[in-house]
Amino acid sequence: MTAALRFDPIRLPEHCQKLRADVRAFLAEEIAAGHFTPEREGGSAELARDFAKRVAARGWIGMTWPKQYGGQERSFLERYVVTEEMRVANAPVRHFFVADRQSGPTIIRYGSEKIKADILPRIIRGEISFCIGMSEPDSGSDLFAAKTRATRTDGGWSVNGTKIWTSNANVSDYMIGLFRTSPSTKENRRHGLTSFLVDMKTPGIACNPIGQMSGQREFNEVVFDNAFIPDDHVLGEIDGAWKQATSELAYERSGPERFLETYAVLTELVRAVGPNPDIRAAEGIGRLVAQLHTLRRMSVSVAGMLAAGREPVVEAAIVKDMGTLWEQQLPHRARELAAFADPESSNHAAFDECLTFNLKIAPKLTIQGGTTEVLRGIIARGLGLR
C-alpha cells in the first residue's frame, strides 16, 4: 500500500516561543550552577537522576500525557521545543528521555490501568528510567526476526534470550521488550511478537557492557535466563506487537535528537573560524545551517502530525535517515572547514577536543534507532516501490 507522503509547513505558535525562553533560562541556571557543561558529554547516572528531578519540577516530563496520570495534556509542539533546547545545550537527559519520548506513550496506549497508575506518575516525577529491548544479535534492526522467547508459565511468562545494543540498560529501571510468544507464519512473518513491561531488577536478567570508542558506557547486551514477567505486564495484544512497534518507532525516529547529537561541533566550528571567515568556510557553514534548518522543518512537521493523532511512520523514517546521515557527516565536514582557521586567533583547542569526541560517536548514529538500510526499506514500502 502506498502512503500519502507529506510534510506540512508547520510553524511553532507564540506560546511555544515563550516556553523556549523559559527552557533556555532554566538551562542557563543549570550551567551556571555547574550541574553540567555543554561542551562535555556524559556525566554520572546520579547527575542525570538529579537533573531529571529538576526538569520534572518544571513540568517538562510527560507534558503531553493525560492529566489523570500527572501529565498536562500539552501539545507535541511544546514538547518538541523542550527537547530541542535540551539537545542543543547537551543537557544530561538520559534518565528520563526514553520514558518521556516513547515508553510512556506506549504504556498509555497499551498498558493496563494498574500499570498506568503505577508507572506514569513516577516517570513524570523523574523517578524511573526506561530502555528499549528490540535489537538482537542475529537480527539487528530486523525486529520481526527476533528470537528471544517468552513462554507461558504459572501467572506469567518466562523469558530466555538476548537483546543487544540496548542503550542505558545498565542504569534503567524498566525495559519495554519485544519478545517472541509464537512462531511467525509463512503468510505473516511479523506474527508472534508481544510487547512486555520488564522490571530490570528481575532475577535472571544480566547487563553486559559493550565497549565504545568514545569510552562511554551506553550500549549493553541484555541476557534473559528464565526471567519471570507477570501477566499484567503484557502491553497490548499477544502475538500482535508488530502493530504497536511501528507506531512506537514514529516517536523514536522523528525528533530533533536525530540530527542534533553532534551539533556541538557546528557551534565550535563557528567559534573556531571567527567573525571573519574566509569564503570557503563561510559558504560551507552556510550550507550546513541550511541543511539543518530543512531537517528541523521536517521534524517539526512530524511533531505536528503526532499532535493531530496521525502515525507518520514513513515521514519519521525519512527524518531519521536524513538526520542521522547529516549528523554523522558533520564532524568530518567541520574538520575540513576548520583546516585553514588560524589556531592562534581562535578556540581551535576547544574545537579539536569536541571534534575528537564526536568523530568517535559518529559511526553509531546510523545504527541506533534503526539502521539506514532498514529505514530505506520502510520508506520504499511506503512509497509503493516494494
Side-chain angles (χ1 to χ4, degrees):
M1 181 181 293
T2 303
L5 181 64
R6 61 181 296 170
F7 287 94
D8 298 327
I10 294 173
R11 295 291 178 183
L12 295 173
E14 184 59 35
H15 67 274
C16 285
Q17 305 305 340
K18 169 62 169 63
L19 175 61
R20 185 184 300 281
D22 293 342
V23 178
R24 284 183 179 177
F26 165 76
L27 292 170
E29 292 171 5
E30 290 287 303
I31 294 167
H35 293 151
F36 74 93
T37 303
E39 292 78 21
R40 291 200 201 101
E41 289 282 336
S44 68
E46 183 179 3
L47 180 149
R49 282 194 296 270
D50 290 343
F51 182 74
K53 297 286 182 63
R54 293 191 292 274
V55 174
R58 298 292 182 118
W60 294 335
I61 302 177
M63 57 195 297
T64 66
W65 301 356
K67 292 181 179 179
Q68 69 184 98
Y69 305 116
Q72 300 179 50
E73 298 181 11
R74 298 177 75 167
S75 73
F76 279 93
L77 294 178
E78 290 173 290
R79 183 190 176 277
Y80 185 96
V81 166
V82 174
T83 301
E84 187 173 50
E85 291 300 321
M86 294 281 181
R87 287 295 174 168
V88 167
N90 207 12
V93 300
R94 66 174 177 166
H95 184 77
F96 66 87
F97 190 75
V98 169
D100 181 52
R101 178 182 64 188
Q102 68 195 94
S103 303
T106 298
I107 291 170
I108 290 170
R109 190 163 183 176
Y110 300 108
S112 67
E113 198 57 43
K114 176 184 175 183
I115 292 297
K116 292 177 187 177
D118 174 35
I119 298 293
L120 297 175
R122 290 196 283 157
I123 295 175
I124 289 170
R125 292 194 297 266
E127 296 174 355
I128 56 176
S129 59
F130 273 71
C131 61
I132 305 164
M134 289 189 174
S135 296
E136 296 190 5
D138 296 325
S139 57
S141 293
D142 183 8
L143 302 182
F144 306 130
K147 296 178 182 177
T148 298
R149 176 167 289 281
T151 306
R152 275 203 178 277
T153 187
D154 291 341
W157 303 78
S158 180
V159 180
N160 289 276
T162 303
K163 294 292 180 179
I164 203 163
W165 311 122
T166 313
S167 297
N168 298 317
N170 57 308
V171 292
S172 293
D173 300 293
Y174 291 91
M175 168 194 285
I176 291 186
L178 192 68
F179 305 134
R180 184 156 295 285
T181 45
S182 295
S184 60
T185 65
K186 185 176 180 180
E187 296 76 21
N188 184 5
R189 68 185 292 264
R190 299 179 289 184
H191 172 80
L193 295 171
T194 302
S195 188
F196 291 84
L197 173 67
V198 181
D199 186 336
M200 293 298 287
K201 294 184 288 294
T202 300
I205 299 177
C207 288
N208 304 318
I210 297 175
Q212 295 174 252
M213 290 186 293
S214 64
Q216 291 177 307
R217 171 72 192 275
E218 182 181 9
F219 291 151
N220 297 269
E221 174 193 60
V222 183
V223 180
F224 298 85
D225 183 11
N226 291 317
F228 176 76
I229 302 177
D231 267 326
D232 63 359
H233 279 49
V234 172
L235 298 176
E237 177 185 346
I238 293 175
D239 293 339
W242 65 272
K243 304 171 189 174
Q244 303 162 208
T246 52
S247 60
E248 180 182 349
L249 290 171
Y251 292 100
E252 180 182 358
R253 290 172 170 164
S254 61
E257 69 274 15
R258 290 309 177 197
F259 50 87
L260 291 177
E261 192 154 349
T262 59
Y263 174 81
V265 175
L266 182 57
T267 300
E268 294 302 326
L269 171 64
V270 172
R271 292 175 180 157
V273 300
N276 299 300
D278 60 25
I279 293 175
R280 175 178 173 275
E283 187 268 348
I285 291 172
R287 284 183 181 274
L288 290 172
V289 171
Q291 292 160 359
L292 177 60
H293 180 75
T294 301
L295 288 167
R296 182 176 181 272
R297 296 308 314 152
M298 294 168 67
S299 184
V300 169
S301 180
V302 174
M305 294 181 218
L306 291 171
R310 293 160 59 187
E311 292 187 0
V313 174
V314 177
E315 290 87 348
I318 291 173
V319 171
K320 201 277 181 184
D321 180 22
M322 296 180 64
T324 52
L325 281 172
W326 184 85
E327 65 178 357
Q328 186 178 71
Q329 294 163 2
L330 176 60
H332 301 279
R333 183 60 179 143
R335 179 170 55 184
E336 294 171 356
L337 294 173
F340 299 102
D342 182 359
E344 301 300 323
S345 61
S346 68
N347 71 325
H348 226 289
F351 171 77
D352 288 343
E353 181 181 355
C354 181
L355 180 66
T356 298
F357 176 80
N358 282 279
L359 284 169
K360 290 177 180 178
I361 69 168
K364 71 169 184 167
L365 299 175
T366 50
I367 299 173
Q368 61 188 25
T371 65
T372 297
E373 293 78 9
V374 168
L375 290 169
R376 290 179 181 179
I378 293 170
I379 296 165
R381 187 178 297 113
L383 296 176
L385 300 176
R386 58 176 293 187

